[in-house]
Amino acid sequence: MTRYSILILLFVIISCKNTSKEDVEIINSKNKVAQLFDNVAAKMIDDSLINSTSIGIYHNEKEYISHYGELEKGKGNTPNNKTIYEIGSLSKVITGTVLANAVLENKITLEDDVNLHLDKKYNNLSYSNQPIKIKHLITHTSGLPNMLPLELNPILADFLNYETPTKINEVLSDYDKTDFLIDIHTIKIDTIPGFKPSYSSAGTELTAYILEKVYKTDYEDLLINFLSEKIGMRDTKITLDQEEMKNLAVGYHTDNSKITLPMAKLPWGASGGIKSTTPDMVKFIKYQLENNEIVQESHRPIYRDSDDFGLGYFWEIDYSDKESGIRYLHHGGVPRSQCYVFIIPKYNFGAFIITNQSGQFTARKMNKAVKEIFDSLKNPE
């Protein structure tokens, strides 16, 4: 044994003597989770299209965060806790949480006709004398189109096309809140609101506008203040300054080996424009597992079309796994990143996973990875 090895051994022995049994159990637990993360992440980044991933788990009062791979192919730049990601449609459940707080503060009710909170009367936001209500916006049952302007919808339908990110940014480059409200005036609803779900990011953007009206403040200011004060999320926002842009993760669209530009800003950004770090998202999932009235309201099923599926404040609610209990989940994606958030209260488990690649099968691979982690933590050996 070398002198160096003896010194290491002595250090370990001394450390162990100063470590309580409880501490050792926590360390061992974290080591087991770290090994689990390593195994799951290795399978993911072994895929030629997924070269990096960040994973955050909250389980039984413990937080686990790990980062793997490299953000840029061949650069060795592993993401870290300061890496800022575009979280796409996970923005919706954050917006939904802000709205749940507004309901509890009596700023708004879910039964409100949206016209109660708009500057002008939009007679087109109804069908057969049935108006769009706030509850229809948050459950994607408003009848509004997925995206505004409407020309974005055929572009997104051809998502795998290499030109899709550029086309999206070109359309959004000079599209603002005023343009959105003009377009809303031209929409024709063809079904009774509340009748059937049809995914609508436009509905989430309208939700942000209504929040601005009832609070008489800019939506992003409202968002930042809520996340900071209620949850302690201080690195989550829509608009990044020059210094923050240095930490924004680059990413890849489909199997294109060229780095894709960040997605252009949506009018409010409430539906898909929020950026965050992994530690902040772990704070969010921890908050979603707390038994507080805002979370309870945001998880409340507002729409349910079967025994297995429902919708809350933008949350998808899955009742299908009787053993695991109710799951609250949402997928997020932009042309250069995809992510998932899962909340499983029965097991005090929450997960956030993200990659800086957005392709046809990315969501499926992330879902599989989280399932493997959950199954292992749920049934420890």
Side-chain angles (χ1 to χ4, degrees):
M1 183 178 290
T2 66
R3 180 182 179 186
Y4 178 77
S5 299
I6 293 171
L7 288 173
I8 292 293
L9 180 59
L10 286 172
F11 175 77
V12 171
I13 292 170
I14 292 168
S15 297
C16 288
K17 286 182 178 179
N18 293 327
T19 302
S20 70
K21 180 180 178 182
E22 182 181 357
D23 288 338
V24 170
E25 288 176 354
I26 293 172
I27 292 168
N28 288 339
S29 172
K30 289 195 173 183
N31 285 343
K32 289 178 182 177
V33 175
Q35 186 177 25
L36 174 61
F37 278 24
D38 290 348
N39 292 338
V40 170
K43 295 174 188 175
M44 283 189 64
I45 62 177
D46 188 49
D47 186 313
S48 60
L49 294 182
I50 297 181
N51 51 293
S52 77
T53 185
S54 293
I55 303 172
I57 300 290
Y58 184 82
H59 177 58
N60 286 342
E61 317 307 325
K62 298 186 182 74
E63 299 178 12
Y64 309 96
I65 296 174
S66 292
H67 309 277
Y68 301 90
E70 51 189 3
L71 290 168
E72 296 175 77
K73 298 180 188 298
K75 292 288 184 70
N77 51 346
T78 302
N80 55 51
N81 284 352
K82 293 183 179 180
T83 301
I84 299 172
Y85 287 107
E86 297 163 278
I87 63 170
S89 285
L90 291 197
S91 305
K92 292 180 174 68
V93 292
I94 295 177
T95 300
T97 307
V98 176
L99 181 68
N101 183 62
V103 169
L104 293 172
E105 290 184 344
N106 297 314
K107 295 286 187 180
I108 199 168
T109 79
L110 296 188
E111 295 295 331
D112 285 352
D113 180 338
V114 295
N115 270 292
L116 289 175
H117 304 290
L118 303 179
D119 278 336
K120 299 178 182 179
K121 182 71 174 176
Y122 289 76
N123 293 321
N124 60 313
L125 299 184
S126 66
Y127 183 83
S128 190
N129 294 320
Q130 298 294 314
I132 296 176
K133 299 180 179 182
I134 300 299
K135 66 181 181 182
H136 301 141
L137 297 180
I138 64 176
T139 56
H140 300 291
T141 58
S142 65
L144 291 172
N146 179 20
M147 297 290 293
L148 288 176
L150 290 174
E151 60 194 286
L152 279 175
N153 295 297
I155 295 172
L156 288 169
D158 191 21
F159 184 77
L160 298 180
N161 190 310
Y162 279 9
E163 299 301 317
T164 293
T166 300
K167 289 179 179 179
I168 292 172
N169 283 9
E170 286 175 350
V171 171
L172 290 174
S173 62
D174 58 355
Y175 190 78
D176 58 18
K177 297 177 181 180
T178 300
D179 297 318
F180 179 91
L181 294 173
I182 291 172
D183 282 346
I184 279 286
H185 220 135
T186 68
I187 296 301
K188 292 183 179 180
I189 307 301
D190 62 3
T191 187
I192 295 174
F195 181 66
K196 63 179 180 180
S198 181
Y199 196 80
S200 176
S201 292
T204 317
E205 292 295 288
L206 187 59
T207 301
Y209 174 62
I210 290 170
L211 283 167
E212 281 191 345
K213 300 298 291 181
V214 299
Y215 280 101
K216 296 180 174 57
T217 189
D218 179 79
Y219 172 72
E220 183 166 12
D221 290 340
L222 175 67
L223 173 77
I224 290 172
N225 289 336
F226 174 85
L227 294 179
S228 176
E229 294 173 9
K230 298 288 187 181
I231 310 180
M233 296 170 66
R234 295 181 174 82
D235 294 311
T236 302
K237 56 183 65 176
I238 297 168
T239 307
L240 303 181
D241 60 31
Q242 288 186 347
E243 196 62 30
E244 290 164 335
M245 284 294 294
K246 295 176 182 178
N247 289 322
L248 183 64
V250 300
Y252 300 88
H253 174 244
T254 65
D255 61 352
N256 192 343
S257 60
K258 295 182 179 179
I259 290 173
T260 303
L261 291 173
M263 183 170 165
K265 188 176 184 296
L266 294 158
W268 284 269
S271 63
I274 295 177
K275 291 92 177 170
S276 188
T277 63
T278 306
D280 257 21
M281 290 306 298
V282 171
K283 291 177 184 176
F284 182 70
I285 61 178
K286 178 182 177 182
Y287 182 77
Q288 295 299 317
L289 288 164
E290 293 177 4
N291 189 28
N292 67 68
E293 60 179 0
I294 298 174
V295 170
Q296 289 176 357
E297 178 63 24
S298 70
H299 287 182
R300 184 162 64 90
I302 310 300
Y303 175 91
R304 192 162 178 179
D305 66 355
S306 71
D307 291 338
D308 292 338
F309 179 77
L311 292 163
Y313 282 64
F314 295 112
W315 284 106
E316 296 178 20
I317 309 175
D318 181 4
Y319 301 91
S320 63
D321 189 337
K322 306 306 179 185
E323 196 280 327
S324 295
I326 301 172
R327 297 192 312 159
Y328 303 89
L329 65 147
H330 210 287
H331 171 261
V334 296
R336 65 183 202 160
S337 75
Q338 287 196 33
C339 51
Y340 255 118
V341 65
F342 295 87
I343 307 295
I344 308 178
K346 180 179 177 179
Y347 285 89
N348 196 22
F349 176 90
F352 168 72
I353 184 170
I354 190 163
T355 80
N356 69 328
Q357 187 269 347
S358 187
Q360 184 177 6
F361 304 111
T362 309
R364 184 187 305 173
K365 295 166 186 173
M366 290 190 299
N367 198 334
K368 182 179 179 181
V370 172
K371 184 179 185 305
E372 184 174 340
I373 292 171
F374 172 66
D375 288 344
S376 296
L377 293 178
K378 179 181 68 172
N379 300 307
E381 296 179 358

